[in-house]
């Protein structure tokens, strides 16, 4: 296996579809025979990120690449951006809307959880332009 | 216990899941309406009890490898949710009991809460 790349457009206006990309990635990783513990870490981190893109970022694009050594995930949106990334990374910090909360999200645990489950994470953001989250799980 | 024991203990309606899936052995469960917490704190639980009804409940369960979701207070998933659960082989149950009672009955019968 050399490098495999999967690309997804995540719609920002359809809450019911949030998680489709993560679900597809999970299935493909299973078929590639990747270690189930690593798949679980990728799935949780990617799903948290995908939900964030939908509830905070207005949708965007997810790119996942897989090599025998690692799974890299890039989540890019063109939403409102994050003014203070260090604050957003803290447990319990959330600006989630009532709609997002009514779906069971908005505890301010997503970004800390993404950090916990990945080996590398880098969040960059420009207010008013969007947010890019890069994560990697080493295999 | 097995999923079929849960069905009996909670007098639950099987919303989706053929009988051979009821034979699945389950050791621990968690009860929550907050998917953020389920994603952040749950480790190896295999059963989710919730009063929340939306597709993200099924997706969250899929990501966390749950094998059974129990909707409490007589809540019912819609067709789209049932369709999703069937794709992943997640058994869906609905019980009239409230969260506390449903959890208590299962805990009393030996289902554990998991780590921590
Ligand atoms: N893609 C994004 N675009 C804009 N803001 C974001 C984005 N991702 C996160 N944020 C900001 O960072 C905060 C913290 O995110 P985090 O995922 O930790 O918590 P949450 O999404 O609010 O709740 P939870 O993830 O527990 O359901 C969010 O409330 C939001 O203010
Ligand atoms: Mg989040």
């Amino acid at each position: 296996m050399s490098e495999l790349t999967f690309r997804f457009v995540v719609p920002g206006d359809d809450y019911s579809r949030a998680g489709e990309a993560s679900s597809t990635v999970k299935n493909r990783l299973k078929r590639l025979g990747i270690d189930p513990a690593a798949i679980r870490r990728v799935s949780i981190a990617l799903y948290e990120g995908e939900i964030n893109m939908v509830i905070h970022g207005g949708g965007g694009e997810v790119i996942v690449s897989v090599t025998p050594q690692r799974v890299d995930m890039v989540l890019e949106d063109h939403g409102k951006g994050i003014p203070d990334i260090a604050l957003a990374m803290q447990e319990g910090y959330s600006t989630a809307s009532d709609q997002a909360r009514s779906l069971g999200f908005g505890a301010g645990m997503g970004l800390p959880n993404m950090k916990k489950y990945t080996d590398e994470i880098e969040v960059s953001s420009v207010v008013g332009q969007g947010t890019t989250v890069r994560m990697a799980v080493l295999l | 216990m097995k999923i079929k024991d849960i069905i009996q203990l909670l007098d639950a309606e099987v919303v989706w899941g053929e009988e051979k899936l009821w034979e699945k052995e389950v050791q621990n469960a968690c009860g929550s309406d907050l998917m953020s917490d389920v994603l952040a704190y749950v480790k190896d639980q295999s059963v989710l009890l919730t009063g929340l009804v939306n597709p993200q409940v099924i997706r969250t369960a899929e990501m966390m490898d749950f094998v059974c979701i129990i909707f409490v207070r007589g809540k019912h998933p819609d067709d789209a949710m049932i369709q999703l659960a069937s794709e992943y082989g997640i058994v869906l149950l609905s019980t009239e009991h409230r969260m506390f009672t449903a959890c208590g009955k299962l805990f009393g019968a030996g289902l554990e809460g998991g780590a921590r």
Side-chain angles (χ1 to χ4, degrees):
Chain A
M1 181 173 74
S2 53
E3 185 174 290
L4 279 175
T5 303
F6 311 128
R7 244 170 232 278
F8 306 90
V9 172
V10 177
D13 50 357
D14 190 352
Y15 279 45
S16 71
R17 289 183 57 194
E20 271 181 13
S22 307
S23 173
T24 307
V25 168
K26 182 170 185 176
N27 268 314
R28 292 190 185 163
L29 295 183
K30 268 193 206 160
R31 259 184 262 149
L32 289 171
I34 286 169
D35 166 44
I39 294 182
R40 190 180 169 117
R41 293 169 64 209
V42 168
S43 303
I44 295 173
L46 189 59
Y47 182 62
E48 293 271 22
E50 188 180 352
I51 294 286
N52 278 355
M53 288 176 87
V54 177
I55 67 178
H56 309 295
E61 195 186 23
V62 172
I63 300 168
V64 177
S65 32
V66 189
T67 70
Q69 289 76 37
R70 50 194 288 145
V71 178
D72 279 284
M73 300 164 259
V74 181
L75 296 86
E76 193 180 354
D77 67 56
H78 301 284
K80 60 185 187 307
I82 306 177
D84 185 339
I85 292 171
L87 183 62
M89 296 293 297
Q90 283 180 19
E91 288 189 8
Y93 178 81
S94 176
T95 61
S97 66
D98 286 344
Q99 191 185 4
R101 286 175 199 278
S102 72
L103 290 175
F105 296 97
M109 291 303 299
L111 284 168
N113 209 25
M114 287 152 76
K115 189 173 165 141
K116 178 171 114 190
Y117 280 110
T118 54
D119 295 296
E120 297 168 15
I121 181 165
E122 187 197 302
V123 181
S124 53
S125 187
V126 178
V127 173
Q129 283 181 37
T131 301
T132 302
V133 178
R134 291 169 190 278
M135 299 183 283
V137 168
L138 306 183
L139 298 175
Chain B
M1 72 176 68
K2 292 184 170 179
I3 292 178
K4 68 176 180 198
D5 300 319
I6 296 179
I7 298 171
Q8 209 192 350
L9 283 161
L10 298 183
D11 219 346
E13 175 197 338
V14 180
V15 178
W16 186 86
E18 57 228 70
E19 274 181 54
K20 68 167 200 269
L21 295 175
W22 307 359
E23 297 298 327
K24 273 193 190 163
E25 197 60 52
V26 292
Q27 246 109 48
N28 35 42
C30 89
S32 182
D33 289 350
L34 195 52
M35 295 304 112
S36 304
D37 273 358
V38 174
L39 286 160
Y41 297 115
V42 172
K43 298 213 173 75
D44 292 310
Q45 278 84 330
S46 40
V47 178
L48 172 65
L49 293 97
T50 189
L52 191 69
V53 184
N54 67 58
Q56 261 57 57
V57 175
I58 315 280
R59 297 261 185 223
T60 302
E62 183 210 356
M63 295 305 149
M64 306 297 292
D65 301 313
F66 283 99
V67 298
C68 175
I69 305 173
I70 303 163
F71 294 95
V72 297
R73 298 195 303 279
K75 300 251 168 130
H76 252 265
D78 64 18
D79 289 346
M81 291 174 67
I82 294 171
Q83 173 62 33
L84 264 186
S86 70
E87 283 168 28
Y88 313 136
I90 301 172
V91 175
L92 301 182
L93 305 179
S94 172
T95 177
E96 292 298 326
H97 291 297
R98 294 181 184 190
M99 178 70 101
F100 182 77
T101 312
C103 290
K105 280 178 183 277
L106 297 182
F107 190 80
L111 203 61
E112 286 167 29
R116 270 206 231 211

